[in-house]
């Protein structure tokens, strides 16, 4: 008995399925829009010191969940390997603490020279110098790297290193780079007490990052097979992306609650939004070039260790860690550095930090799709090259065997 033929679905149903599939693939971007709308309508819920006390529930609890999942997911050998990866440290930390501050400082001086009417608020420019000097973000790098198929162990190591260095580097570096002009005096002579800030920053780093990571690693070392099975079956790593939305919610709630964003001129807002996108894309391209430079740079023996191409997985980690900046460390550090400065000025100065760290996640969402496609193409090409190489080697071996057999037959005939 023959099976009944499949009944073709109407075109409108096929179109609805395609639309629904597209929406599901972009659920993170839609989620960002939803949490931003919630933050605008109800800023007091998730602001710093708000109803849910996001400085504890989200900045500690949610980040702890992300790093507990990382500890359960990452093999110990990979962490040790990347701790010793000096070139990975050099590229990420040099881009984060040297290249970005130099680039932003040059742009700020160009704007000061061109903007004689001060249409761009000077708090925005001071905020950008500060943003350029803070370390890479704690949570989103690991989540985005994992989603794109990159090496999340490499991202995790760079996050830890940057946020240990950050409190010591950022304060001195920011004050040194603030332009020597009268209009920037509030930021050059803020004179905040950094001692309490250091205690808070390292307490958060220990409780929300190091401790959950250590617990996750202990569980994985003790029950490796069972942990891997549970992680695969429960799809637990996807929870990290949901946690990322909660971080964005808290960030924007604090931004809207201060009212600082609403006081900026239209020119300042347009400049900040467009500049953030352009800056992030440019820095990602720089990180990609540093990770996989053209082969001509590594053609000589002396330059090969410096310019050797990284693996696709490490490259993805560098491209997400290098351009990113941290709100979790940036905002407490900003308020501690300029403690005597007027609260409204500090709130305006924090806007570039808040908007850049939020926009970087939106732009990174598209880079996740791009890097996922690029990673698949590179792996496919490498597999094809290996297959071709194997075929050539087999062919050469067959030719050698054939020649040898021919010579044996010739000697036997003679």
């Amino acid at each position: 008995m023959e099976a009944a033929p499949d009944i073709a679905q109407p075109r409108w149903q096929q179109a609805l399925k395609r639309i629904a599939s597209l929406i599901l693939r972009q659920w993170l971007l839609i989620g960002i829009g939803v949490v931003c709308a919630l933050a605008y309508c109800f800023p007091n819920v998730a602001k710093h010191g708000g109803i849910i006390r996001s400085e504890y529930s989200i900045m500690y609890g949610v980040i702890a969940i992300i790093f507990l999942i990382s500890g359960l997911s990452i093999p110990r050998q990979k962490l040790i390997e990347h701790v010793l990866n000096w070139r990975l440290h050099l590229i990420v930390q040099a881009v984060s603490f040297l290249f970005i501050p130099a680039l932003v400082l040059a742009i700020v001086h160009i704007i000061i020279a061109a903007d004689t009417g001060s249409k761009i608020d000077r708090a925005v420019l001071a905020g950008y110098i500060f943003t350029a000097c803070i370390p890479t973000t704690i949570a989103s790098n690991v989540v985005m790297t994992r989603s794109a198929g990159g090496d999340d162990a490499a991202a995790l190591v760079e996050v830890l290193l940057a946020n240990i260095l950050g409190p010591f580097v950022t304060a001195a570096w920011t004050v040194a780079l603030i332009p020597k002009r009268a209009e920037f005096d509030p930021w050059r002579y803020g004179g905040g007490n950094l001692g309490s800030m250091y205690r808070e920053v390292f307490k958060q780093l220990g409780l929300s990052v190091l401790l959950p990571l250590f617990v996750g690693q202990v569980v994985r070392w003790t029950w490796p097979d069972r942990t891997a099975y549970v992680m695969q079956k429960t799809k637990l790593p996807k929870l990290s992306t949901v946690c990322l939305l909660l971080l964005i919610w808290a960030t924007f709630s604090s931004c809207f609650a201060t009212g600082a964003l609403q006081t900026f001129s239209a020119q300042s807002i347009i400049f900040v939004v467009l500049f953030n996108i352009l800056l992030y894309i440019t820095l990602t391209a720089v990180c990609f070039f540093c990770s996989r430079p053209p082969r001509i740079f590594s053609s000589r023996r002396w330059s090969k260790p410096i310019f050797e191409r990284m693996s696709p997985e490490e490259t993805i980690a560098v491209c997400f860690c290098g351009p990113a900046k941290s709100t979790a460390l940036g905002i407490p550090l900003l308020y501690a550095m300029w403690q005597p400065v007027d609260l409204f000025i500090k709130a305006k100065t924090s806007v570039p930090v808040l908007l850049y760290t939020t926009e970087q996640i939106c732009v990174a969402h598209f880079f996740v799709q791009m890097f996922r496609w690029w990673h698949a193409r590179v792996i496919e090409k490498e597999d094809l090259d290996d297959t071709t190489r194997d075929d050539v080697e087999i062919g050469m071996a067959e030719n050698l065997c054939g020649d040898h057999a021919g010579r044996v037959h010739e000697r036997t005939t003679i």
Side-chain angles (χ1 to χ4, degrees), residues 387-402:
T387 303
T388 305
R389 194 180 301 111
D390 291 341
D391 290 342
V392 171
E393 290 175 355
I394 291 171
M396 291 174 63
E398 289 176 349
N399 290 335
L400 289 173
C401 291

Side-chain angles (χ1 to χ4, degrees), residues 95-227:
V95 168
S96 185
F97 290 121
L98 295 177
F99 180 79
I100 298 178
L103 177 64
V104 169
L105 182 64
I107 294 171
V108 165
H109 279 288
I110 291 172
I111 292 171
I112 292 173
D115 184 26
T116 54
S118 298
K119 293 183 179 179
I120 303 298
D121 198 303
R122 289 332 186 218
V124 169
L125 301 182
Y128 265 118
I129 293 175
F130 173 78
T131 304
C133 297
I134 60 179
T136 188
T137 186
I138 294 176
S140 62
N141 291 342
V142 179
V143 177
M144 293 294 184
T145 300
R146 185 186 299 125
S147 299
D151 193 334
D152 51 349
L156 181 57
V157 169
E158 294 313 306
V159 163
L160 294 176
L161 179 60
N163 283 270
I164 290 171
L165 294 174
F168 302 102
V169 173
T170 302
W173 203 210
T174 301
V175 174
L177 297 181
I178 290 290
K180 307 298 188 292
R181 298 169 66 94
E183 54 201 316
F184 289 94
D185 283 349
W187 295 278
R188 280 197 293 131
Y189 303 115
N193 179 15
L194 298 179
S196 60
M197 182 277 302
Y198 286 136
R199 286 194 296 272
E200 288 298 318
V201 165
F202 285 112
K203 182 175 74 172
Q204 180 181 1
L205 193 65
L207 293 178
S208 64
V209 177
L210 296 177
L211 181 60
L213 179 65
F214 176 75
V215 171
Q217 284 286 285
V218 169
V219 172
R220 186 178 177 93
W221 298 346
T222 309
W223 301 286
D225 296 334
R226 190 176 301 176
T227 302

